[in-house]
Amino acid sequence: MGLLAWIKQMLGISNMNKKINIILFGPPGSGKGTQAAKLVEKYGLLHISTGDLFRYEIGNKTPLGIEAQGYMSKGQLVPDSVTIGMLKNKVEANPDAKGFIFDGFPRTIAQADALDEYLKSKEEGVSKLIALDVEEKEIVSRLLKRGETSGRADDQDENVIKNRIAVYKKETAIVFDHYAKSNLSNTVHGMGTIEEIFNRLSDAIDAI
Ligand code: AMP
């Protein structure tokens, strides 16, 4: 335990027993998935990627997967009602989790409102939103490179990538402002080595 955490615990203002809910934020290709996997290992939180959940449903050819695929293949957002319901189911299925890393959610203000209301009903809340800041040129080249091995059709077509980035700017970027109103939004420089970025994210989480 660090000195600050120890002092907080002695003063009875420790967050140690409180659930930590982190929104890992940023455009497609900003490294959320890579970093979430490392953060899960370090902090013992549960990683929920709505993109991964949709891909799982698609793999199993479920009605939800079939509906989602039409939107995903064009780089559009899956409708809020479908996405929010799926997210809640995943949280409900893990009542003993120490907290969550939300990756790729919320992507609209309606999703952010639904998440806030849902967590409030459980006497919890969003602990922090951390945005990975990466230059657009870098994002496109990272996604195209990932497309060579990921098998993801939405990473292989430059027009679909451009649309995903446009949707991010139009509908998702404002989610940062939503949480900034409660002083919960932070930005971390998302360029450099995986380890450098991970250290910056860890610092942001340790400061909660
Ligand atoms: P990702 O794996 O986060 O890049 O998401 C891949 C695709 O899944 C997105 O381009 C959307 O079509 C869909 N998707 C993932 N998360 C969401 C969300 N929170 N809201 C709507 N659509 C989503």
Side-chain angles (χ1 to χ4, degrees):
M1 190 189 299
L3 183 62
L4 185 64
W6 182 79
I7 293 169
K8 280 184 175 174
Q9 196 183 31
M10 295 309 284
L11 293 172
I13 53 170
S14 167
N15 284 326
M16 277 181 71
N17 297 321
K18 218 177 139 197
K19 292 209 179 190
I20 296 181
N21 296 309
I22 293 167
I23 298 173
L24 198 51
F25 196 72
S30 55
K32 301 188 295 294
T34 305
Q35 293 295 337
K38 290 174 68 68
L39 292 170
V40 158
E41 233 178 81
K42 178 164 179 181
Y43 293 97
L45 302 170
L46 198 98
H47 176 206
I48 302 187
S49 153
T50 39
D52 285 350
L53 294 178
F54 284 131
R55 283 183 285 277
Y56 177 80
E57 299 287 335
I58 290 171
N60 287 304
K61 299 191 169 59
T62 64
L64 195 155
I66 290 161
E67 183 181 357
Q69 189 163 27
Y71 297 97
M72 290 169 76
S73 63
K74 298 189 202 90
Q76 296 168 352
L77 294 184
V78 179
D80 286 332
S81 57
V82 178
T83 307
I84 292 164
M86 181 181 71
L87 187 279
K88 284 185 185 172
N89 284 342
K90 187 70 183 176
V91 173
E92 289 297 315
N94 292 280
D96 297 330
K98 267 173 68 182
F100 297 93
I101 296 184
F102 297 111
D103 159 5
F105 183 94
R107 258 175 157 100
T108 62
I109 292 294
Q111 290 180 17
D113 285 338
L115 178 66
D116 294 344
E117 198 180 307
Y118 175 59
L119 290 177
K120 200 171 165 198
S121 75
K122 295 155 68 74
E123 296 183 0
E124 291 176 45
V126 169
S127 313
K128 203 170 226 186
L129 176 150
I130 312 175
L132 286 167
D133 185 24
V134 183
E135 285 164 19
E136 188 164 327
K137 251 188 9 209
E138 167 86 7
I139 284 170
V140 177
S141 84
R142 279 190 197 177
L143 287 172
L144 284 169
K145 190 153 177 257
R146 185 171 78 185
E148 289 169 12
T149 52
S150 69
R152 280 181 57 171
D154 62 345
D155 284 345
Q156 288 165 12
D157 180 327
E158 198 157 344
N159 285 328
V160 175
I161 290 176
K162 292 251 160 77
N163 194 40
R164 287 161 66 198
I165 295 173
V167 168
Y168 174 80
K169 287 182 184 165
K170 187 163 171 261
E171 298 191 54
T172 305
I174 40 171
V175 171
F176 183 95
D177 307 333
H178 172 88
Y179 289 102
K181 284 183 198 147
S182 335
N183 275 329
L184 292 173
S185 290
N186 295 251
T187 301
V188 156
H189 184 46
M191 312 264 287
T193 66
I194 289 175
E195 215 53 42
E196 282 165 350
I197 301 164
F198 178 62
N199 289 335
R200 292 177 202 136
L201 287 170
S202 297
D203 288 346
I205 293 174
D206 291 341
I208 290 174

